[in-house]
Amino acid sequence: MVEISPLIKAITNRDSRAIARAITFVEDGDRQADLILTGLDPVLIEKATVIGITGPPGAGKSTLTDKLISQYRNQNERIGVIAIDPSSPISGGAILGDRIRMMKHALDNDVVMRSMATRGRLGGLCGAAGATARIMAGSGCSTIIIETVGVGQSEMDIIRLADITALVVAPGLGDDIQAMKAGLLEVADLLVVNKADCPGAEALAMDMETVAREKPPLADNLARVCLTVATEGRGIKELSEALARIDYLQRQGDEHVRRRQQARTMEVLDWSLEMLRPGLQDLINRHDVLETGDPRLLAAEIIKELMNH
Ligand SMILES: Nc1nc2c(ncn2[C@@H]2O[C@H](COP(=O)(O)OP(=O)(O)O)[C@@H](O)[C@H]2O)c(=O)[nH]1
Ligand SMILES: [Mg+2]
């Protein structure tokens, strides 16, 4: 057991080791995390904006994130990055390319980075990511970027943690984009057509404009589609401005509160399921699963038992 209040103080003072330690408590489901989280400044947490950056693998999310970090740092903002990495269950870390790219930011005390693996963990990804974002905010980060591959359900859940979601697409990913149209395009506030230097970008941008027009307008003249060349840093300033504008508009109306409610709901659900899991497992173990009919029927029975406990 460590002393909590010095740790909270150290986080507030932007001590990177204290921040990393607190996030580890969160990831381990350690109860000390609760004490830390309730001790952080709620005003900082409310003010910070969580930006979700999603899209298919290879679209350029990491390159874009890297350039956005530089952009925010030029504006003298402190920034947090949570990279949700589905591919690396063992290291729980970013792939080598991302590591090299982010190296220059790793030396910057005002860039707080953390990667989280989707697989090979006990679950509770949403809850852990939400808590991590709050720790970053409590340490003075005004923007927190969550980078995630927009493929599976858990990644979709993660996106619901964000105040603003940018969907990154790129020409040449063809089928992926078609497959995405159902879910991700709907949740995206901003559509980023990256690799604008590659053939097919114009046509893709026109496609995206059509999609964007179907969205309820937040305001007149709000850019919903951004063209970028992440590798060259082109369009990054415009992208950050579009994000800032959406944030501003959402905070003017009810949308910001609605998003935060949605995020909290996801987190509570996620933690609840985590907490139920061991008890459920215990009850299931007491049944002969092969004998007790249909799995779904047994599940309903187990829930009944749990309620009567
Ligand atoms: N031509 C071109 N290549 C890019 C651009 N942005 C990223 N890339 C390249 O696309 C590849 C995938 O980028 P990455 O950021 O790792 O994509 P992620 O999987 O979405 O995170 C890398 O080789 C990048 O250098 C761009 O604007 N134009
Ligand atoms: Mg990436």
Side-chain angles (χ1 to χ4, degrees):
M1 197 70 180
V2 290
E3 269 249 58
I4 290 300
S5 57
L7 194 53
I8 293 172
K9 196 152 180 243
I11 293 167
T12 311
N13 288 333
R14 311 185 168 187
D15 176 326
S16 48
R17 283 186 55 201
I19 296 164
R21 194 158 179 209
I23 298 172
T24 301
F25 282 148
V26 165
E27 287 208 290
D28 293 347
D30 192 313
R31 281 218 39 234
Q32 293 175 93
D34 305 342
L35 301 172
I36 293 165
L37 283 158
T38 46
L40 295 172
D41 182 357
V43 176
L44 284 178
I45 292 168
E46 168 51 30
K47 276 204 305 202
T49 299
V50 181
I51 298 173
I53 296 196
T54 190
K61 298 178 297 298
S62 296
T63 317
L64 216 53
T65 300
D66 175 58
K67 292 288 163 37
L68 272 176
I69 297 172
S70 302
Q71 173 70 32
Y72 288 119
R73 291 299 297 126
N74 287 340
Q75 293 164 213
N76 217 11
E77 279 191 48
R78 179 174 160 83
I79 181 143
V81 180
I82 304 172
I84 310 291
D85 180 6
S87 58
S88 182
I90 298 162
S91 67
I95 57 168
L96 190 61
D98 287 349
R99 282 240 175 92
I100 292 166
R101 239 191 318 258
M102 299 288 178
M103 210 81 96
K104 64 176 189 291
H105 297 305
L107 299 171
D108 184 342
N109 191 53
D110 284 317
V111 180
V112 185
M113 282 189 278
R114 186 73 172 211
S115 47
M116 290 185 173
T118 46
R119 270 179 294 177
R121 52 179 294 135
L122 292 169
L125 181 64
C126 233
T132 298
R134 277 196 291 288
I135 290 169
M136 289 174 170
S139 81
C141 295
S142 49
T143 301
I144 293 111
I145 296 178
I146 304 182
E147 182 199 332
T148 180
V149 178
V151 281
Q153 185 57 46
S154 59
E155 289 86 8
M156 281 295 286
D157 289 349
I158 288 286
I159 281 308
R160 294 202 180 88
L161 294 178
D163 296 312
I164 306 171
T165 297
L167 172 64
V168 184
V169 295
L173 298 170
D175 286 350
D176 274 346
I177 290 162
Q178 287 306 321
M180 265 175 358
K181 278 196 172 149
L184 274 176
L185 285 174
E186 278 142 41
V187 300
D189 301 293
L190 196 62
L191 303 165
V192 182
V193 177
N194 188 41
K195 306 196 185 181
D197 56 327
C198 294
E202 287 288 315
L204 184 57
M206 273 160 66
D207 258 14
M208 291 298 139
E209 287 287 357
T210 312
V211 174
R213 270 195 290 276
E214 286 161 22
K215 290 181 176 297
L218 253 183
D220 291 342
N221 307 321
L222 176 69
R224 290 282 199 177
V225 180
C226 283
L227 269 98
T228 56
V229 183
T231 37
E232 295 165 21
R234 270 160 58 194
I236 302 299
K237 189 160 179 290
E238 291 77 2
L239 170 60
S240 73
E241 284 166 359
L243 290 167
R245 177 112 200 275
I246 294 173
D247 189 36
Y248 172 79
L249 290 169
Q250 287 187 348
R251 285 175 191 267
Q252 293 289 98
D254 314 331
E255 189 56 15
H256 175 71
V257 174
R258 196 190 69 78
R259 299 278 174 120
R260 289 277 159 120
Q261 266 167 356
Q262 173 184 274
R264 274 304 161 99
T265 304
M266 284 302 307
E267 289 181 58
V268 175
L269 179 63
D270 197 39
W271 286 122
S272 307
L273 292 171
E274 269 318 286
M275 289 172 189
L276 277 177
R277 191 179 287 272
L280 285 171
Q281 186 69 64
D282 204 46
L283 282 174
I284 296 166
N285 289 346
R286 291 188 209 164
H287 287 79
D288 184 340
V289 290
L290 289 180
E291 288 301 314
T292 337
D294 185 68
R296 195 169 182 280
L297 261 177
L298 180 56
E301 233 173 82
I302 299 273
I303 297 294
K304 247 187 235 156
E305 280 178 45
L306 189 75
M307 308 263 237
N308 293 332
H309 256 47

